């Protein structure tokens, strides 16, 4: 035997064992919920997916909105039943011309660090959002405020550092001047990116990004550095209605299906359900499945109207009439959706129950007739779906329906979700695209502006109708809501006539709630609303 | 993958002759099970119609939404039930074999070609050629297959059978190359090679006529084992959403689409999973039995 | 030069080579790194310009790689385009994956070697056939299918193990996922152990030991096992790459917040810097493991030379 080896081998062996031991026992993952002593202090766990950012001006997507909504309160929020705006931090919002807005801020609101919420807080937040050095993704949402082009010009260097359209009159008065009138401006004020920011945000932006200090019912108790939980507790000095629980812990999952599995194991209170899981959840947990009162999502197909064939409204109408929406809803969506009847979303104020008419009704014979009369489209048709959304299932069904009705080949292709809009708007994706959109705020402009106006940011159909844009402008300048709705209705009628995109169906956000959590009412717009949930032990 | 890397040393020592191997194989039930499975799957890859129509509904594209997710209905000619789109699941599974197995075979052949070529060069010439090739193979092998494949495939918009195969080949060739290299090294010092060199034969001739025939046996053995592993990899990548795409018929796709419906329609998951398992098992059994038959040892 | 040192240098070279490859794969291939940022909205040109300047996206790829390596040498893994620090993301995710992979390694080792030993008690016998044939099954069932079923039956229906998450801590929360990851390797290890033991048992030095009258236990462990396990250890080291791959898969299903999950989120939202960081870290792990395997070799058999 080799005697030299003994001490060396023993040392090596010990070192290895020690290393293993340290790694295995030393790394203990974070534990879940803590045990509260009374139900008022009980912590609610909510399943979400990873938020893009917790900074109001830099966050996008459903889940970031949920967390930001819990941490921050804006000037207004939305009435869950009517969708109308209600003053929250604002005491009043007045205008005479839909262009200059006088905002009075209610006194007494404070940030989680004690700083008061005043007019400066909002000006500070909005200027930070548009600051090109910050490069926050929601900067574009402020583009209609006067002075935006000087602070963040499309080309060239900025000539101003703050928005000239945002003027702090005094501690409780703010005046906002828009570049063009927008009667729907108060709706925007309820969006999370219009939230106020404390001075502490600018003093230490990096720290703030990990642990934002807001003015909402919940405050963060520890920074979030990308781990699997965001921990909040009820803010003791909250000026609004105090929450009935002790805080919310947001658990981060890779998908709603994984969250649902964890729900079934009893470790999370509220999760969003994927449509595929709804029937099973209904069967296994009767009474615990909660839906938004009104549908707040829409599915539709954008159309490449710049391509031959698709530029013909008759062809577009034919394609729309060849889709058997109800069959897809019944067999693939388990009846959880409703055929779309108007161009916005049911939660939008002014959504009409039967506006779409023939264009949205399944009639393969009429569709075929229209198609033939218009000359059809040569070659293979493609429907593009977005990976990871689950839409390819019904996109395939629509493809089959078109194949059957028109006798052409139809295939389904995929585009990665991060390339969806650059692909569509860059004309790299040259086919109808299966899209889904949630309602952001309850005004028709939420859908009509971005999706169908000539300058719209997500105008996937490249719809450009000067009459339509003129109607939108008129509605933006109108002072009376009935007048606005009438004008929006006329605008939507234009879309229906032109079949600007193929409307499919609308559905409601659906959640499943644990037995111990009661009082949860899904709110389509006030995403972070968990204050009404009480937990029984 | 599997114990492929270890075969780098083992299979280089394959010494049994063809006859010896066959007599061992004949007696090994693993071989027969594996060979039958492989034969069946290769058959339905080349000619899906042969099996798909067995129960009367052989067209996987003949779908009706009203049948969506219905369960198995043997008397009606739908022994596996229906898919989400309302197509016959049995036909879909049969046609789904094609993509998976084609990828398996293409990748294995491609890997073998590259491995044989590079391994020959590295083993025969040695020196800096060997060093460079070995370092490159080390770099590639250090990237775990799944991570590397995710990386590359995610950037490709349209992923068809050829792209996916190319990526899998790119990450699989190092191990096979090493096998080839080891066996080339052991062969190049053999007497018949030295004799050929002494005779002044051109290098390419020596390589082709003398070295290759004696060295690529292990690579073949490796190949049969690898097919099974590649099939499983393709299914995994497609399941993750970065492999083949809808509406391609692939087991990986069928499995990923089936999962959300598992509670209400378990047949959607069970049948493709069983088919996938059988296909992989078939190739692995075949490969294992061939490998063992190559040994002159006491354990078969 | 001391072999371990030369191995380390080799590992470093391979590491940089791989990280360059990975970097190129992420940043040189088509795709818009800023595309996922604004969701359904559009980024203003100013924002785009600023983000590009901040993350050097407007520079040629090689320059970007240079920045990346420079930062890496300072311990900075970079920042994603949403402003998150990649280093802290890795630091959070990393220990979970390590725990998972090591647990799987341990399961592979224990179960595989035990099965292998059991199979050699009577070579060719009933137990042997069962053990070696059954391992084919664990190899053939794809990991994600196995994980899904394991989760459904052992987690949901039987309730033996938590369904997802790390709340139960190590080892309870990791056993089921680790077993799924290990399943792939148990078969080959069992077969390898078996083959290796059978070969070693007939070797000269073992016969010498037996003829000296040493107890069967001593012969078995000190002579047979120690030498027979050498190829098994080699295999374990080489297997780490596929263990990591398996961990990636299984983490998503069991919602373990490890590198796998971070990878998929990053890939889906196209945060290239996280992807590069993760894959590079993965490579690092494989390299470190191989060095450790070399060390283990020396522990088991000091006579081993490369």
């Amino acid at each position: 035997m080799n005697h030299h080896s003994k001490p060396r081998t023993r040392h090596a062996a010990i070192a290895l064992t020690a290393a293993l031991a340290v790694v295995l026992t030393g790394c203990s993952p974070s534990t879940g919920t803590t045990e509260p002593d009374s139900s008022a202090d009980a912590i609610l766990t909510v399943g979400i997916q990873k938020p893009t950012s917790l900074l109001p001006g830099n966050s996008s997507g459903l889940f970031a909105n949920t967390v930001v909504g819990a941490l921050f309160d804006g000037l207004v929020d939305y009435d869950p039943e009517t969708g109308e705006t209600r003053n929250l931090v604002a005491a009043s919002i007045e205008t005479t011309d839909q262009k200059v807005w006088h905002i009075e801020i209610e006194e007494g609101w404070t940030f989680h660090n004690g700083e008061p919420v005043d007019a400066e807080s909002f000006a500070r937040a909005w200027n930070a959002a548009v600051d090109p050095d910050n490069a926050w993704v929601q900067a574009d949402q402020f583009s209609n405020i006067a002075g935006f082009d000087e602070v963040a010009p499309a080309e060239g260097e900025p000539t101003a550092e703050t928005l000239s359209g945002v003027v702090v009159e005094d501690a409780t008065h703010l005046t906002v001047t828009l570049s063009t009138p927008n009667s729907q401006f108060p709706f925007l004020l309820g969006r999370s990116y219009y939230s106020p920011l404390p001075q502490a945000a600018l003093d230490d932006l990096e720290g703030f990004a990990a642990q934002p200090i807001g003015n909402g019912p919940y405050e963060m108790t520890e920074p979030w550095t990308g781990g699997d939980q965001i921990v909040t507790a009820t803010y003791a000095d909250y000026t609004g209605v105090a929450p009935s629980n002790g805080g919310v812990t947001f658990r981060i999952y890779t998908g709603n299906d994984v969250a649902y599995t964890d729900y079934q194991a009893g470790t999370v209170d509220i999760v969003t359900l994927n449509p595929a899981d709804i029937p099973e959840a209904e069967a296994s947990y009767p009474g615990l499945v909660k839906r938004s009162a009104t549908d707040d999502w829409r599915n539709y197909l954008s159309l490449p109207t710049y391509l031959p064939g698709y530029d013909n409204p008759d062809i577009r109408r034919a394609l729309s009439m060849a889709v058997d929406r109800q069959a897809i809803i019944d067999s693939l969506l388990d009846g959880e959706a409703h055929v779309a009847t108007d161009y916005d979303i049911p939660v939008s104020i002014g959504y009409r129950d039967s506006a779409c008419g023939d264009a949205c009704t399944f009639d393969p014979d009429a569709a075929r007739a229209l198609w033939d009369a218009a000359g059809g489209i040569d070659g293979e048709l493609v429907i593009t779906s977005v990976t990871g959304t689950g839409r390819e299932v019904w996109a395939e069904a629509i493809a089959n329906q078109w194949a059957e009705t028109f006798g052409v080949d139809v295939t389904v292709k995929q585009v990665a979700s991060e390339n969806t809009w650059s692909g569509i708007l860059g004309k790299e994706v040259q086919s109808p695209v299966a899209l889904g959109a949630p309602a952001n705020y309850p005004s028709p402009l939420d859908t009509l502006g971005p999706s169908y106006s000539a300058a719209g940011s997500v105008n996937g159909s490249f719809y450009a109708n000067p009459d339509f844009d003129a109607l939108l402008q008129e509605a933006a300048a109108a002072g009376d809501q009935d007048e606005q709705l009438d004008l929006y209705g006329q605008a939507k009628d234009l879309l229906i006539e032109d079949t600007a995109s193929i409307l499919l169906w609308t559905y409601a956000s659906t959640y499943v709630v644990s037995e111990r959590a009661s009082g949860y009412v899904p709110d389509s717009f006030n995403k972070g609303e968990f204050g009404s949930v009480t937990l029984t032990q | 993958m599997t114990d492929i890397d270890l075969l780098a040393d083992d299979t280089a020592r394959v010494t049994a002759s063809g006859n010896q191997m066959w007599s061992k194989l004949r007696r090994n039930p693993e071989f027969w099970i594996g060979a039958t499975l492989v034969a069946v799957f290769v058959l339905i890859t080349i000619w899906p119609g042969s099996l798909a129509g067995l129960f009367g509904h052989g067209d996987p594209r003949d779908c009706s939404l009203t049948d969506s997710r219905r369960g198995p209905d043997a008397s009606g000619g739908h022994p596996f039930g229906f898919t989400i789109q309302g197509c016959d699941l049995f036909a879909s599974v049969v046609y789904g074999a094609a993509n998976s197995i084609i990828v398996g075979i293409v990748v294995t052949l491609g890997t073998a070609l590259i491995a044989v070529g590079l391994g020959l060069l590295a083993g025969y010439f040695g020196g800096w050629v060997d060093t460079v090739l070995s370092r490159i193979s080390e770099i590639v092998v250090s990237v775990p297959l799944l991570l590397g494949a995710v990386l590359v495939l995610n950037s490709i918009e349209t992923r068809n059978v050829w792209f996916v195969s190319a990526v899998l080949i790119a990450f699989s060739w190092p191990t096979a190359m090493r096998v080839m290299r080891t066996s080339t090294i052991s062969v190049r010092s053999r007497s018949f090679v030295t004799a050929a060199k002494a005779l002044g034969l051109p290098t390419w001739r020596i390589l082709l006529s003398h070295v290759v025939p004696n060295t690529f046996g292990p690579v073949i053995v490796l190949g049969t084992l690898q097919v099974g592993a590649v099939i499983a990899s393709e299914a995994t990548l497609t399941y993750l959403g970065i492999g083949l795409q809808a509406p391609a018929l692939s087991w990986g796709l069928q499995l990923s689409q089936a999962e959300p419906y598992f509670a209400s329609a378990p047949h959607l998951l069970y049948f493709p999973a069983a088919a996938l398992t059988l296909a992989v098992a078939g190739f692995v059994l075949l490969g294992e039995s061939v490998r063992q038959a190559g040994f002159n040892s006491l354990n078969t | 030069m001391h072999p371990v040192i030369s191995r380390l240098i080799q590992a470093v070279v391979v590491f940089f080579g791989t990280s360059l490859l990975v970097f190129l794969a992420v940043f040189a291939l088509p795709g818009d790194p800023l595309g996922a940022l604004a969701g359904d909205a559009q980024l203003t040109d100013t924002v785009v310009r600023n983000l590009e300047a901040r993350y050097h996206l407007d520079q040629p790829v090689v320059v970007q790689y240079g920045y990346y390596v420079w930062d890496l040498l300072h311990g900075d893994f970079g920042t994603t385009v949403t402003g998150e620090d990649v280093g802290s993301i890795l630091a959070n995710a990393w220990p979970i994956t390590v725990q998972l992979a090591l647990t799987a390694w341990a399961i592979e080792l224990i179960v595989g070697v035990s099965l292998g030993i059991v199979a050699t008690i009577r070579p060719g016998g009933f137990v042997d056939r069962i053990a070696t044939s059954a391992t084919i099954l664990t190899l053939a069932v794809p990991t994600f299918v196995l994980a899904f079923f394991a989760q459904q039956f052992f987690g949901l229906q039987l309730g033996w193990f938590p369904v997802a998450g790390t709340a139960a801590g190590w080892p309870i929360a990791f056993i089921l996922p680790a077993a799924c990851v290990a399943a792939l390797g148990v078969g080959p290890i069992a077969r390898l152990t078996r083959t290796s033991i059978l070969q070693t048992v007939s070797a000269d030095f073992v016969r010498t030991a037996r003829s000296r009258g040493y107890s069967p236990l001593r012969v078995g462990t000190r002579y047979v096992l120690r030498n027979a396990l050498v190829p098994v250890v080699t295999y374990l080291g080489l297997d780490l790459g596929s263990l990591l791959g398996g961990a990636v898969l299984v983490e998503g299903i069991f919602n373990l917040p490890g590198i796998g999950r971070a990878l998929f989120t990053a890939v889906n939202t196209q945060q290239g810097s996280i992807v590069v960081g993760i894959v590079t870290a993965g490579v690092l792990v494989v390299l470190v493991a191989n060095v450790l395997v070399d060390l283990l070799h020396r522990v088991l058999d000091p006579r081993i030379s490369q």
Side-chain angles (χ1 to χ4, degrees), chain C residues 156-281:
Chain C
L156 270 183
Q157 297 201 0
L158 291 176
W160 288 356
F161 297 101
V163 168
T166 51
W170 193 86
I172 308 265
F174 287 88
I175 290 187
L176 203 53
C180 295
V181 175
L184 213 56
V186 162
I189 289 192
R191 291 168 98 100
L192 195 57
T193 310
R194 178 187 173 281
T195 312
S196 189
I197 290 180
L198 289 176
Q199 285 180 342
T200 314
V201 150
S202 56
D204 282 346
F205 68 92
V206 172
R207 273 191 278 168
T208 320
R210 271 157 133 187
S211 69
R212 287 215 202 141
Y214 291 149
S215 75
L217 187 65
R218 185 166 172 195
V219 174
T221 50
R222 247 181 94 167
Y223 293 89
V224 177
L225 256 191
R226 229 173 97 158
N227 288 285
L229 283 184
V230 170
V232 177
V233 161
T234 312
Y235 176 76
L236 279 176
L238 299 166
D239 197 34
L240 192 58
S242 73
L243 271 183
L244 272 185
V248 160
L249 202 47
V250 150
E251 276 174 15
I253 297 177
F254 286 95
N255 201 50
L256 302 171
I259 278 185
R261 196 178 79 166
L263 178 68
F264 277 105
T265 317
V267 152
N268 283 329
T269 52
Q270 234 190 4
Q271 296 184 349
S273 17
I274 300 185
V275 178
V276 174
I278 289 174
V279 180
T280 314

Side-chain angles (χ1 to χ4, degrees), chain C residues 142-164:
Chain C
T143 310
F144 61 94
V145 174
L146 199 59
F148 181 74
F149 281 116
Q151 188 181 48
Q152 292 287 321
F153 292 130
F154 296 110
L156 270 183
Q157 297 201 0
L158 291 176
W160 288 356
F161 297 101
V163 168

Side-chain angles (χ1 to χ4, degrees), chain A residues 276 280 331-332 393 396-397 412 419, chain B residues 65 69 84-85 157 246-247 260 263:
Chain A
E280 200 254 326
S331 53
L332 296 179
V393 176
E396 226 183 295
V412 176
N419 296 330
Chain B
L65 270 184
R69 288 172 276 144
I84 300 172
Q85 296 291 334
E157 279 291 330

Side-chain angles (χ1 to χ4, degrees), chain A residues 276-277 280 327-328 331-332 334 392-394 396-397 400-401 411-416 418-419, chain B residues 61 63 65-66 68-69 84-85 87 154 157-159 241 245-247 257 259-261 263-264:
Chain A
D277 290 323
E280 200 254 326
I328 295 180
S331 53
L332 296 179
D334 298 296
E392 60 271 6
V393 176
W394 51 258
E396 226 183 295
N400 287 338
Q401 288 172 349
T411 73
V412 176
K413 292 208 169 128
Q414 305 265 13
V415 66
E418 59 271 10
N419 296 330
Chain B
R61 300 284 184 199
C63 316
L65 270 184
T66 45
S68 169
R69 288 172 276 144
I84 300 172
Q85 296 291 334
C87 322
N154 185 61
E157 279 291 330
T158 323
R159 295 182 293 269
Q245 297 160 309
Q257 286 177 349
E259 266 189 12
Y261 298 103
S264 53

Side-chain angles (χ1 to χ4, degrees), chain B residues 232-298:
Chain B
S233 298
E234 181 273 320
T236 306
L237 292 174
T238 306
Y239 164 81
L240 290 172
I242 49 168
L244 300 173
Q245 297 160 309
L249 282 167
S250 156
W251 290 330
L253 263 181
Q254 291 166 1
L255 288 169
S256 76
Q257 286 177 349
E259 266 189 12
Y261 298 103
F262 181 62
S264 53
H267 65 280
L268 290 174
L269 190 69
Y270 284 132
F271 291 116
L276 181 57
T277 308
L278 282 176
V280 175
F283 281 96
V284 170
L285 281 172
L286 186 62
E288 263 300 304
S289 52
V290 168
R291 184 179 82 87
Q292 282 176 7
F295 276 111
N296 279 332
S297 62
L298 35 67

